[in-house]
Amino acid sequence: MKDQVVDIRDIFKARQTVSRNLKPTQLLRYESLSRLIGADIYIKHENHNPTASQKIRGAVNLAWELRRNGVTRIVTAANGASGLALACAARLFNMSALVVVPEKSPLSLTQPIQDQGAEVRASGIDFPESLRIARRMEENGDYYFVHPANEMQFIHGCATAALEMIEELPEADVAIGSVGMGGCIASTLAASSVLNPKLKVIGVQAESAPAAYLSWKTGALQRQESRTFSQELGMSKAFETPFSLYADSLADFVLLPEHRLYEGVALAAHHTRQMVDAAGGAPIMAAYLLRQKLRSKTVVLFMSSGVATADELEEAYTLSAFRSGKPEEL
């Protein structure tokens, strides 16, 4: 599949908007992780953003552009951090937001969105159906529909994280990020392809929700049932716009079984003292599994999300990796 072209000027323009509203996130080196993996390990702490995810960058850039063009009411669908990010950005720019979520969504998803002043409507048996319902609301003329993955201005905003990383650590050899909807990993590629073409970008996804991996592997958009516990990684399809950016550009793609996702959460707590979800911890686990290939390299792990549920943390923190700081050898 032919890559979609991103103009680097759009990313620098997005940084002007993002930097007016958000502070840069920390890029920290971790000695204990560096010893464990045998590489120089840095973490880009996107979990330190408001809403605890990288997606707030994209939401701020997108909402600002929509507001400038007269949009005052937006609707989207979400089963994770994108809904909260868009609700927060809408509030920032005095816009009304409606977020459609699957009918059995937990309070841990819906309450933070409502706390940002957005309306939450539980409709649809799963995320794809909620997405279709949200899109129909635009067709009725009530709202401007914001797709949670296929918005280039969202990707431009998310790319400001990679821009910060490349400027602060230009010697980085490898970057690893989680793939759910794909916008964050696509944004890293969008920035690095121009500013550091030698940077190898690696994606990591749940083995129980491998649609993006299968799409990358086959070169065509794929659907696959999601059975993972992770809200952020639990996509049953790959999305067109992010896929057009990572289809031919990822250096590698790692699939993690469920127990390895939990171990990633545990490792994040042990080594960085950060409370993150599976998407936030997965790059650590992927780096450990790739440690032979990463030896002596400078590696940046994007801790892109910290929206863990209580059940997720409880399961992860019972594992031996939480205390020992080392995954089980199978």
Side-chain angles (χ1 to χ4, degrees), residues 283-311:
I284 298 176
M285 191 68 241
Y288 178 78
L289 296 177
L290 293 173
R291 61 193 182 279
Q292 298 301 326
K293 295 181 179 180
L294 299 179
R295 187 168 300 280
S296 301
K297 296 185 182 297
T298 299
V299 181
V300 176
L301 311 178
F302 277 80
M303 193 170 275
S304 58
S305 180
V307 290
T309 65
D311 289 343

Side-chain angles (χ1 to χ4, degrees), residues 41-111:
I41 300 296
Y42 291 77
I43 289 183
K44 181 64 170 164
H45 278 287
E46 290 301 290
N47 60 310
H48 291 174
N49 277 312
T51 75
S53 89
Q54 185 176 348
K55 292 179 179 180
I56 187 61
R57 294 175 180 266
V60 164
N61 188 56
L62 175 59
W64 168 246
E65 291 297 328
L66 292 175
R67 192 69 180 87
R68 286 178 61 241
N69 286 283
V71 175
T72 59
R73 292 162 59 85
I74 62 173
V75 61
T76 191
N79 69 340
S82 62
L84 178 57
L86 284 165
C88 180
R91 185 177 191 176
L92 188 63
F93 299 122
N94 297 312
M95 303 167 74
S96 297
L98 169 60
V99 181
V100 182
V101 300
E103 291 167 358
K104 295 184 179 180
S105 296
L107 189 64
S108 60
L109 169 64
T110 60
Q111 188 62 59

Side-chain angles (χ1 to χ4, degrees), residues 70-317:
V71 175
T72 59
R73 292 162 59 85
I74 62 173
V75 61
T76 191
N79 69 340
S82 62
L84 178 57
L86 284 165
C88 180
R91 185 177 191 176
L92 188 63
F93 299 122
N94 297 312
M95 303 167 74
S96 297
L98 169 60
V99 181
V100 182
V101 300
E103 291 167 358
K104 295 184 179 180
S105 296
L107 189 64
S108 60
L109 169 64
T110 60
Q111 188 62 59
I113 296 173
Q114 291 174 320
D115 289 344
Q116 291 295 332
E119 179 185 351
V120 174
R121 187 171 301 177
S123 185
I125 61 172
D126 55 17
F127 174 68
E129 186 175 358
S130 296
L131 191 61
R132 289 191 292 271
I133 291 168
R135 191 187 298 273
R136 285 200 297 270
M137 290 180 179
E138 181 185 53
E139 294 171 358
N140 294 335
D142 297 330
Y143 294 90
Y144 182 96
F145 172 69
V146 174
H147 196 286
N150 289 332
E151 304 280 355
M152 281 304 300
Q153 289 164 333
F154 182 89
I155 291 174
H156 295 154
C158 288
T160 60
L163 182 57
E164 290 172 7
M165 179 271 288
I166 292 168
E167 290 179 341
E168 188 172 350
L169 194 70
E171 67 271 26
D173 300 304
V174 179
I176 303 178
S178 294
V179 183
M181 293 184 185
C184 292
I185 200 74
S187 74
T188 301
L189 287 160
S192 65
S193 63
V194 176
L195 300 175
N196 184 1
K198 294 182 179 179
L199 182 73
K200 295 185 182 301
V201 180
I202 297 172
V204 54
Q205 186 170 55
E207 186 177 73
S208 296
Y213 169 82
L214 294 174
S215 300
W216 172 76
K217 195 74 173 176
T218 62
L221 289 168
Q222 302 290 331
R223 293 176 180 268
Q224 183 72 31
E225 180 186 2
S226 170
R227 301 184 309 278
T228 182
F229 69 87
S230 171
Q231 291 179 350
E232 287 300 299
L233 301 178
M235 295 296 112
S236 60
K237 61 171 288 186
F239 292 96
E240 294 84 352
T241 300
F243 178 65
S244 70
L245 293 168
Y246 68 71
D248 300 321
S249 303
L250 281 176
D252 202 354
F253 209 137
V254 178
L255 289 179
L256 296 181
E258 299 293 273
H259 72 280
R260 290 300 197 189
L261 292 175
Y262 281 120
E263 282 189 313
V265 174
L267 291 174
H270 180 95
H271 291 281
T272 74
R273 300 299 187 263
Q274 301 293 304
M275 187 174 68
V276 301
D277 61 2
I284 298 176
M285 191 68 241
Y288 178 78
L289 296 177
L290 293 173
R291 61 193 182 279
Q292 298 301 326
K293 295 181 179 180
L294 299 179
R295 187 168 300 280
S296 301
K297 296 185 182 297
T298 299
V299 181
V300 176
L301 311 178
F302 277 80
M303 193 170 275
S304 58
S305 180
V307 290
T309 65
D311 289 343
E312 193 172 347
L313 295 176
E314 183 177 9
E315 179 72 21
Y317 294 171

